[in-house]
Amino acid sequence: MTPLSILDLSPIALGSDAGQALRNSLRLAQAAERLGYKRLWLAEHHNMPGIASAATAVALAHVASGTSTIRLGSGGIMLPNHAPLMVAEAFGTLAALHPGRIDLGVGRAPGTDQVTSQALRRNLDADVNAFPRDVVELLGYFRPVEPGQRVQAVPGAGLDVPVWILGSSLFGAQLAAMLGLPFGFASHFAAGDMEQAVALYRSRFEPSAYLAKPYVMLGLNVVAAETDAEAQFLQTSRLQAFVNLRTGRAGPLPPPVERYEETLDPVGRSVLAQMQFCSVVGSPQTVKAGLEDFIRRTGADEVITTNMMFDHAACIRSYEILADVMIAPARAAGELQTSVS
């Protein structure tokens, strides 16, 4: 069976706060570990009132301290916001404390708006197109220290921290292929280039010391509940949050509402159209069939699922249902793949 993982955006629900959101992330990671998910990643976003994982490495340290076996990582660290050495030190620290469990997914987007990017970097002179150079520098810090090397990551040097290239366009696919790194595509919100990016990555992949053959992880929105109707209702929190973000009205995660899509104008409906292409929403049977079809169509080596639910208990229940119909049968049959760390 294709491994399943979780991308947790650590959502801040309306009326709640960031502390509760991060505690929820820990509870979700503990449930994911128990249920057999391969990894849980947190994402770097800034100046977003509805997302608590801006200090991603710090949030991961919190989650790692309360779990013991599940892989944890970033989905991703936005490398233009940081010096590669500092990223290597942060994730080297996590790897030193939790050996064999830490992933580092990196992307070239800022993870925010232009004004906030300037606040993060102090200026915008940094060239986002320097991303390939920054990735190569970052990889170098995780290699064993060489004689005469004047700058080293401590912790970091010589530690096993798999680096992933993340993206929502063809650029990341080409870079991951050239460097022989695993590739994660953000199809859960930007499915337009998914098929072309995956094909490009696989066709141009160069085996490396990191990876012998291409490995693709695809994002998929999954909302599971006891019935199709309940799942459709629960997903409206995520839909509202996405439309609000794309129309300049970002805020805390709102509660679900009945027949939300019927209230949208043509602009709002077009905002949702692409994201909904990579979504599976419904009862256990609906979710199982939808996920199997997605894997069959894409040939994904791994699927990283995500949802944003106002009720955290419902969020965990959704992942329990998904595990019941996909992971548990495969574990019982001994069919789970061994794959990238």
Side-chain angles (χ1 to χ4, degrees), residues 69-283:
T69 59
I70 190 169
R71 294 195 68 88
L72 301 167
S74 58
I77 291 294
M78 300 297 101
L79 201 49
N81 298 335
H82 310 280
L85 175 60
M86 293 190 69
V87 175
E89 290 172 340
F91 279 77
T93 299
L94 288 168
L97 290 169
H98 308 282
R101 296 180 57 206
I102 302 300
D103 302 322
L104 173 53
V106 296
R108 69 170 183 146
T112 188
D113 57 86
Q114 188 175 33
V115 173
T116 309
S117 292
Q118 185 167 3
L120 285 164
R121 305 178 203 170
R122 311 311 300 170
N123 64 70
L124 295 180
D125 293 339
D127 182 8
V128 72
N129 295 314
F131 179 64
R133 181 189 65 209
D134 288 345
V135 172
V136 171
E137 181 181 346
L138 177 64
L139 290 169
Y141 288 128
F142 288 122
R143 287 195 285 269
V145 176
E146 298 180 355
Q149 182 175 331
R150 297 184 63 187
V151 178
Q152 56 184 279
V154 183
L159 295 182
D160 178 21
V161 182
V163 175
W164 294 63
I165 301 297
L166 311 181
S168 57
S169 68
L170 304 184
F171 183 93
Q174 294 179 76
L175 181 61
M178 180 180 70
L179 296 177
L181 296 175
F183 177 53
F185 190 83
S187 39
H188 58 292
F189 71 83
D193 290 331
M194 177 185 68
E195 293 181 3
Q196 188 177 358
V198 170
L200 181 66
Y201 169 69
R202 287 179 172 149
S203 65
R204 297 191 181 180
F205 181 84
E206 295 286 341
S208 69
Y210 307 106
L211 200 60
K213 61 182 181 179
Y215 192 92
V216 176
M217 179 164 62
L218 300 179
L220 182 68
N221 299 294
V222 178
V223 179
E226 306 307 326
T227 66
D228 288 348
E230 182 185 0
Q232 292 289 346
F233 173 68
L234 291 171
Q235 80 151 342
T236 60
S237 290
R238 173 177 59 88
L239 302 185
Q240 292 176 77
F242 189 77
V243 171
N244 290 345
L245 175 64
R246 290 301 174 92
T247 55
R249 296 177 288 118
L253 183 67
V257 296
E258 295 285 357
R259 297 185 294 276
Y260 169 66
E261 292 183 71
E262 296 177 13
T263 70
L264 292 174
D265 59 19
V267 173
R269 291 179 185 177
S270 68
V271 166
L272 287 184
Q274 189 176 59
M275 182 183 69
Q276 291 295 78
F277 177 74
C278 282
S279 297
V280 175
V281 180
S283 66

